[in-house]
Amino acid sequence: MLNGEKIYVTSGERAELVVVWATLDRSKGRAAIKSFVVERENPGLKLERLEHKLGIRASDTAAFRLEDCRVPREDMLGSPDVDVKQGFAGAMQTFDNTRPLVAGMAVGCARAALDEIRTLLTDADVEIDYDRPAYSQHAAAAAFLQMEADWEAAYLLTMEATWMADNNQPNSLQASMAKAKAGRVGVEITLKCVELAGSFGYSEGSLLEKWARDSKILDIFEGTQQIQQLIIARRLLNKSSSELK
Ligand SMILES: Cc1cc2nc3c(=O)[nH]c(=O)nc-3n(C[C@H](O)[C@H](O)[C@H](O)COP(=O)(O)OP(=O)(O)OC[C@H]3O[C@@H](n4cnc5c(N)ncnc54)[C@H](O)[C@@H]3O)c2cc1C
């Protein structure tokens, strides 16, 4: 029987199944957490509200209350045994696969904005020359070259983290690096593209303002920018979560 809340559930309204992490033993807290597949039609899973958001408005974000929500034993994922050393660490491992995907979304959004601004700059007769130093070019072209360099770094980190996940290699560090870099430059690039396009970029006549709004969540969910940096620092310095908070 599950009791509590599951908030910020992406696609929760339209989903047929919702994954809920819950502790089997309140006294052990997160060390005893397990994941459960809960059917959306389960009468104990009550949709409380849908969030109104800055971006990704085509994606619903649901808040559920679980009240005496009975879940069959076979719908618990993984072993039923409580291993306090592995409980929370197991939950965290799922991020090794999902963070590179969010990084991929940030890379894709930024790419779309770059392609759009490139078209606008070309239409405005601004030449982007890869063979000349940025300082000798139009300011908008120099900004574009800088953005492409940042984009390329995010893209390569994302490819690396994704390749490692696909090939079953431990990739926590690379997943966080990709997410941190792509999340940050995704926001910077899309907002800069709005800026370069001026009032047209800010208006709903183009998708630039949408991509700028959508990008911020990619720097937040599946672990914020600050949390990725914390994880990276812990890994590089070989510190535990209690040693580096
Ligand atoms: C639209 C949307 C969809 C979502 N979808 C899902 C979903 O499907 N499933 C799901 O489980 N969750 C989902 N989430 C939740 C999301 O993953 C979290 O909101 C996100 O990871 C941030 O956690 P938090 O809200 O607890 O932030 P908090 O921990 O409250 O952080 C607040 C701020 O403090 C900073 N901060 C916190 N701790 C530290 C620290 N130690 N050092 C420095 N800075 C710190 C954070 O970086 C952040 O800037 C979604 C959220 C949103 C907004």
Side-chain angles (χ1 to χ4, degrees):
M1 205 94 89
L2 298 177
N3 280 292
E5 266 187 315
K6 177 72 193 97
I7 56 174
Y8 291 104
V9 183
T10 296
S11 299
E13 190 194 27
R14 67 188 82 171
E16 290 171 11
L17 302 167
V18 175
V19 175
V20 176
W21 290 84
T23 185
L24 293 183
D25 182 342
R26 275 178 198 235
S27 67
K28 294 198 177 82
R30 72 182 199 182
I33 60 173
K34 293 278 168 194
S35 54
F36 302 85
V37 176
V38 184
E39 293 195 7
R40 183 64 181 76
E41 299 307 315
N42 189 316
L45 183 73
K46 302 199 166 80
L47 178 69
E48 290 238 297
R49 63 176 184 279
L50 296 175
E51 306 295 347
H52 298 280
K53 312 186 295 287
L54 173 72
I56 60 163
R57 294 184 182 158
S59 161
D60 71 78
T61 307
F64 291 103
R65 173 165 294 283
L66 294 105
E67 279 172 3
D68 293 338
C69 183
R70 188 175 286 278
V71 178
R73 178 175 285 268
E74 59 271 20
D75 290 353
M76 181 199 289
L77 297 173
S79 149
D81 302 327
V82 173
D83 176 352
V84 290
K85 289 210 180 79
Q86 280 306 313
F88 189 62
M92 293 298 101
Q93 266 178 6
T94 62
F95 288 127
D96 297 348
N97 285 312
T98 58
R99 284 178 178 153
L101 299 186
V102 175
M105 292 182 216
V107 163
C109 221
R111 185 71 253 164
L114 284 171
D115 290 349
E116 175 76 5
I117 201 69
R118 183 181 198 119
T119 305
L120 294 174
L121 292 178
T122 306
D123 289 350
D125 290 331
V126 174
E127 190 195 346
I128 299 161
D129 188 342
Y130 291 90
D131 295 327
R132 273 198 301 132
Y135 68 77
S136 64
Q137 299 191 42
H138 191 291
F144 185 87
L145 291 171
Q146 176 64 54
M147 287 193 287
E148 277 217 319
D150 265 339
W151 181 87
E152 189 81 20
Y155 173 74
L156 290 173
L157 283 169
T158 304
M159 293 299 274
E160 181 188 30
T162 313
W163 183 89
M164 291 174 84
D166 276 352
N167 288 279
N168 292 323
Q169 295 190 10
N171 73 336
S172 297
L173 173 66
Q174 290 77 9
S176 286
M177 284 180 162
K179 171 78 166 67
K181 179 77 181 175
R184 186 172 64 250
V185 305
V187 171
E188 287 169 2
I189 289 173
T190 52
L191 261 182
K192 185 74 186 174
C193 288
V194 167
E195 183 184 304
L196 289 176
S199 51
F200 178 68
Y202 193 72
S203 74
E204 292 183 358
S206 89
L207 286 170
L208 289 171
E209 61 86 30
K210 177 189 185 298
W211 291 325
R213 286 185 293 103
D214 288 350
S215 286
K216 188 60 202 176
I217 191 58
L218 306 173
D219 197 34
I220 294 177
F221 66 13
E222 301 296 310
T224 62
Q225 173 70 217
Q226 294 74 21
I227 295 304
Q228 304 311 326
Q229 292 190 18
L230 196 52
I231 293 168
I232 294 164
R234 280 183 197 143
R235 295 246 161 207
L236 293 179
L237 301 172
N238 206 15
K239 302 258 187 216
S240 67
S241 51
S242 52
E243 287 170 326
L244 192 59
K245 293 184 185 171

